[in-house]
Amino acid sequence: MRVCVIGAGLSGLAAARALNDRGIDFVCLEKAPDVGGIWRQPQAGERGPGYRTLHLNTAKQLTCYADFPMPESYPLYPRHSQFAAYLRSFAEWAGVLDRIELRTEVLSVRQEAEGSWTVVSRDGDGTQASRRFEHVIVASGHHTDPALPDPLPAGAASFTGRILHSLDYHDGAEFAGRRTVVVGLGASAVDIAADLSRHAEQTVLSVRRGLHIVPKQLFGMSVDEIADAPWWSAMSFAEQRRFVEQALLVARGRLSDYGLPEPDHPVFSSAVTLSDEILSRIRHGAVTPKPAIDSFDGDRVVFTDGTSAEADAVVYCTGFRLTFPFLPEDSPLRQDGAVELYRRVVPADRPGLYFLGLVRPVGAITRLVEAQARWVTRLIGGEAALPGQDEMREEIGTYLDGIVQRYGRTEGASIQVDVGPYLNEFRETLNV
């Protein structure tokens, strides 16, 4: 068989559709019992980031596949169950469901001497299989390996409450009447803190470093619609930054007025947090901001400012590690954690291996993934070709140097992309 696609979430389905449309033989391996990736509601005993209040942060018309719109009945920001249903209906419409092997976990992917790839998998009955492929597309996402502080703050081992990661959080109702602390200021942290504040007796939001909190809408428009507008693209980067900073001052004022730390960096020099709720929940007294956790003391959480709070549960919303346990150890991460991929897709030294969706845009990811999938399919079909390894390494180095200049050497920064410029990298190749 020619191609193995790993994962049947948004990216894997885009790859499956592109391959199927061109008549390229493939199989898609998905360890979950259904398609949908992180948007599926985890079943009993199943770990997953799909908490009940999870919604899209990007507008539905920019998050849907290009020629398969979401139902008109969907709201602008659909809930996770709606988006999961949409992804399944896309798989049916694209005619790829019969090429997807569900409940099939990939255990290892290794390259053979002649260049082919051996993929070892295990199905739901525990039976292992080993198959050869010419190409492997990794579309399994990066929300499976939770990142917790290592070590946890002093006293964590004797904390009388529960310590968990956002990966294991499902429903705020489970914490009714309890005292909770949420750690972080990213998308999951503000979502979960807002959710808990409607059920828990107390919700504290522990923030180590300030991030820019951006409303989902400005001037009555979804912010990703603004980023997609021609007038936005016509601005220089400095003008875009100045526009957003002024708009944020009008829309919400200074974050320090809410008890949150001011960001130590300008907007677009780190990932931003999209939220319409968290600042309102703080202003209503439902969420109390605190600095970083210093230590645990019995049933109390002690913060770096010397204050403390009783807690029954601490939810760490501290992101995920970029890990691919089924791949060789050095692919595609280098020792400092940076992702080394030509066009954020291809390892320079591993022909036949591709990564889809391993990017973090400010805005919807779907169009980027579709462009990646079409480009990879053209490479596999021989309609496009990669440059030499030296040229690919030069492009990777230039990109990573730019990332360091803009974001610094922060974990995960190497997958940040700007939607417009990144799409432009594929336009000539795809003739669009």
Side-chain angles (χ1 to χ4, degrees), residues 118-137:
T118 296
V119 176
V120 178
S121 60
R122 179 174 56 213
D123 65 19
D125 296 324
T127 303
Q128 291 193 18
S130 179
R131 287 174 273 189
R132 288 280 186 100
F133 298 92
E134 296 175 40
H135 306 270
V136 174
I137 299 175

Side-chain angles (χ1 to χ4, degrees), residues 56-111:
L56 288 181
N57 274 339
T58 51
K60 68 176 182 180
Q61 64 268 30
L62 294 175
T63 313
C64 66
Y65 295 105
D67 50 2
F68 189 75
M70 292 191 208
E72 291 186 8
S73 61
Y74 277 20
L76 183 62
Y77 303 109
R79 64 180 293 117
H80 71 87
S81 57
Q82 291 174 311
F83 193 50
Y86 164 78
L87 292 174
R88 194 171 210 290
S89 64
F90 171 80
E92 294 171 352
W93 171 81
V96 299
L97 277 178
D98 62 346
R99 311 300 294 276
I100 301 172
E101 296 182 11
L102 299 172
R103 302 181 187 273
T104 302
E105 181 180 6
V106 173
L107 302 178
S108 68
V109 176
R110 69 176 186 272
Q111 191 170 23

Side-chain angles (χ1 to χ4, degrees), residues 9 34 74 85 95 118 129 141 151 162 245 250 268 296 362 404 431:
D34 201 356
Y74 277 20
T118 296
R162 180 186 177 196
E245 288 175 341
V250 172
F268 301 143
F296 293 88
V362 179
V404 170
N431 299 316

Side-chain angles (χ1 to χ4, degrees), residues 111 117 328-331 346-354 389:
Q111 191 170 23
W117 294 85
E329 189 173 340
D330 59 344
S331 185
V346 182
D349 58 348
R350 294 191 181 276
L353 182 64
Y354 315 90
Q389 288 191 18

